[in-house]
Amino acid sequence: MNPTVLTILISSLGLGTTLTFIGSHWLLVWMGLEINTLAIIPLMIRQHHPRAVEATTKYFITQATASALLLFASITNAWTSGEWSLTEMINPTSATLALTALALKIGLAPLHFWLPEVLQGLDLTTGLILSTWQKLAPFAILLQLYPLLNPNLLLSLGILSTIIGGWGGLNQTQLRKILAYSSIANLGWMITILHYAPNLTLLNLILYIIMTLTTFLLFKIFNSTKINSIASSSTKSPLLSIITLLTLLSLGGLPPLSGFMPKWLILQELTKQSLFTPATIMALMALLSLFFYLRLCYATTLTMNPNPTNMSSSWRTKPNHPTLILLTSATLSILLLPLTPAIFTLI
């Protein structure tokens, strides 16, 4: 792709998200979401491959439906209340429609059907943008709307997402589909606690973005799209394989890694709210998610060379930009490890 065109598209992604962040008027927020969607479409289709075209078409139709529903919700609220402010959505029907539209945009169950198929048809770089950056704008809206949303509906969407995210990833061999179901499960944790402790939702989102960034860049460096390709790639760099192991276990929420911290805090908050059944279901579904992460870790370490003298050093002598980003994000993820017992001590 032409560097000028690529720069314009990346700038448009940043502009769309920024408009949604700073906007308090529904029309401005909707415009930011639309700019975001239109900017990523050329990035998704730049391979000119039939699977990329199919994934782009599915994504465009889904996002257009969600945007139309969100615009309809804002217009309905303005018609009944006379207010276009984001925080003045006093009509319960409009709030429910807005939540449904945002759930469709980010891929919450049962509106998740598009996410695994779309992510599978994209390359790892575009999939990284779809799994991280494209989640920021909808969550910025949700974090402002949470007092007006139905907590029972949020709880139902969150529990269903953790169940489908856990069960759906068990029989997958494609890494991008596994990461898609991982995204659904993690989004379920964030949405469940949104009404009761939005700061935990923000914490979970930040950690999820850091760990997902590391995972996608690792798979891109290994050029891996299937589970069996990880095993053949791990002999090239045992150090990167160890980082992959730690990141996957952290993404799965294995204690005492940093990914365990938000899950534990969310379960603790649900228990304080006397929501024992949802907390139990989510804890059990977290075990299912951890199972396919452990399967990935087993594939990573299956052929790891125990002799460090035989490992390839090309990635050390010729570091490229993705490797530097990878090591930075992996370092951030690992440095968060001491925070877990410290935060538990303060609670």
Side-chain angles (χ1 to χ4, degrees), residues 141-155:
I141 302 175
L142 287 171
L143 286 170
Q144 296 181 69
L145 287 182
Y146 78 90
L148 312 172
L149 301 177
N150 188 347
N152 294 326
L153 182 58
L154 287 172
L155 198 60

Side-chain angles (χ1 to χ4, degrees), residues 13-267:
L13 278 175
L15 174 63
T17 305
T18 304
L19 283 177
T20 306
F21 279 1
I22 66 176
S24 59
H25 193 282
W26 268 113
L27 187 59
L28 184 63
V29 169
W30 177 80
M31 287 174 57
L33 293 174
E34 285 301 292
I35 292 173
N36 236 354
T37 302
L38 294 176
I40 200 175
I41 292 295
L43 296 175
M44 297 171 68
I45 207 172
R46 72 178 188 271
Q47 292 181 323
H48 302 291
H49 190 274
R51 297 189 68 180
V53 173
E54 179 186 358
T56 305
T57 305
K58 289 180 179 178
Y59 181 78
F60 176 75
I61 293 175
T62 304
Q63 296 299 308
T65 304
S67 296
L69 187 59
L70 188 64
L71 186 61
F72 176 72
S74 60
I75 292 175
T76 304
N77 181 72
W79 180 46
T80 56
S81 65
E83 291 288 341
W84 281 96
S85 177
L86 193 66
T87 56
E88 296 294 333
M89 184 165 277
I90 58 177
N91 188 358
T93 304
S94 300
T96 303
L97 288 175
L99 175 59
T100 305
L102 293 172
L104 181 59
K105 269 194 169 294
I106 60 179
L108 277 174
L111 305 172
H112 70 286
F113 51 86
W114 61 271
L115 184 56
E117 298 300 326
V118 169
L119 201 59
Q120 178 61 28
L122 303 177
D123 64 295
L124 290 172
T125 304
T126 313
L128 170 62
I129 298 174
L130 183 64
S131 300
T132 55
W133 185 262
Q134 293 299 95
K135 300 289 192 296
L136 294 178
F139 264 100
I141 302 175
L142 287 171
L143 286 170
Q144 296 181 69
L145 287 182
Y146 78 90
L148 312 172
L149 301 177
N150 188 347
N152 294 326
L153 182 58
L154 287 172
L155 198 60
S156 301
L157 290 174
I159 294 175
L160 191 58
S161 296
T162 55
I163 293 174
I164 291 180
W167 281 105
L170 289 178
N171 60 343
Q172 302 295 331
T173 59
Q174 299 287 337
L175 294 178
R176 284 166 292 185
K177 281 195 174 182
I178 290 177
L179 290 174
Y181 283 107
S182 165
S183 174
I184 294 170
N186 279 281
L187 291 175
W189 284 86
M190 300 176 206
I191 291 297
T192 300
I193 203 62
L194 178 63
H195 184 78
Y196 305 102
N199 56 332
L200 291 183
T201 298
L202 187 59
L203 172 65
N204 201 343
L205 179 63
I206 293 172
L207 289 178
Y208 166 75
I209 288 176
I210 292 174
M211 293 182 292
T212 303
L213 172 68
T214 308
T215 306
F216 267 97
L217 290 177
L218 279 166
F219 291 158
K220 184 173 178 60
I221 289 174
F222 287 149
N223 196 21
S224 300
T225 56
K226 297 182 180 179
I227 291 181
N228 54 7
S229 62
I230 299 181
S232 60
S233 301
S234 61
T235 56
K236 299 177 183 177
S237 175
L239 180 58
L240 285 183
S241 298
I242 294 173
I243 295 177
T244 305
L245 180 69
L246 290 174
T247 306
L248 290 173
L249 290 177
S250 183
L251 196 57
L254 184 71
L257 297 174
S258 53
F260 170 70
M261 176 174 57
K263 289 183 171 59
W264 178 262
L265 294 175
I266 288 172
L267 290 176

